[in-house]
């Protein structure tokens, strides 16, 4: 339940922050679907007149997968996909920051340590 709540709130927060404010005041819901099964499986999706689309499905309290898309303030479409399960929340999207590459000297040091490890 906490995973679902966290993921849903995260996706909605991202949509609220990133969606163009000009269209938000007059946006309307174009489509909306919700499904909840007795075994805890669920699914929902919606789309709005200002270009926001989102969907999510999963097994309550165990795992979820979903996506959201909108147009950023700069006019560039943004697509976010995510999963969440016992291994955590895993968002993906070209708009998300990525870590810098590991410096070559660190890679060489790790190879040296591995080659000279006493556990070999």
């Amino acid at each position: 339940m906490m995973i679902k709540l966290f993921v849903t709130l995260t996706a909605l927060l991202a949509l609220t922050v990133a969606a163009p404010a000009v269209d938000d005041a007059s946006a309307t819901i174009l489509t909306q679907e919700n499904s909840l099964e007795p075994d805890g499986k669920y699914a929902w999706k919606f789309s709005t007149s200002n270009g926001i689309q989102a969907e999510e499905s999963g097994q309550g309290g165990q795992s979820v997968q979903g996506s959201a898309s909108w147009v950023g303030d700069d006019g560039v479409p943004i697509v976010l996909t995510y999963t969440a399960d016992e291994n955590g929340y895993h968002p993906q999207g070209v708009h998300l920051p990525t870590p810098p590459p590991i410096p070559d000297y660190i890679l060489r040091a790790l190879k040296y340590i591995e080659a000279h490890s006493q556990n070999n």
Side-chain angles (χ1 to χ4, degrees), residues 6-20 24 46 52-54 67-73 78-82 89 91 95-96:
F6 174 74
V7 172
T8 301
L9 290 176
T10 302
L12 291 176
L13 177 62
L15 293 174
T16 302
V17 170
D24 289 345
F46 70 87
I52 297 171
Q53 296 182 0
S67 66
S69 62
W70 63 93
V71 177
D73 291 336
I78 296 174
V79 177
L80 170 71
T81 60
Y82 57 89
Y89 175 65
H95 66 289
L96 296 175

Side-chain angles (χ1 to χ4, degrees), residues 2-108:
M2 288 300 291
I3 291 173
K4 177 185 172 202
L5 179 61
F6 174 74
V7 172
T8 301
L9 290 176
T10 302
L12 291 176
L13 177 62
L15 293 174
T16 302
V17 170
V22 175
D23 296 326
D24 289 345
S26 59
T28 58
I29 295 174
L30 300 176
T31 63
Q32 182 176 4
E33 296 177 26
N34 294 295
S35 168
L36 179 59
E37 303 296 326
D39 63 357
K41 290 181 183 174
Y42 71 94
W44 58 259
K45 64 180 174 178
F46 70 87
S47 64
T48 65
S49 60
N50 60 348
I52 297 171
Q53 296 182 0
E55 63 182 71
E56 182 177 289
S57 63
Q59 176 72 38
Q62 295 179 15
S63 64
V64 300
Q65 52 279 333
S67 66
S69 62
W70 63 93
V71 177
D73 291 336
D74 56 0
V76 175
I78 296 174
V79 177
L80 170 71
T81 60
Y82 57 89
T83 60
D85 55 25
E86 68 275 0
N87 297 314
Y89 175 65
H90 304 283
Q92 294 182 331
V94 296
H95 66 289
L96 296 175
T98 57
I102 298 173
D104 188 50
Y105 66 91
I106 298 290
L107 292 173
R108 287 193 313 266

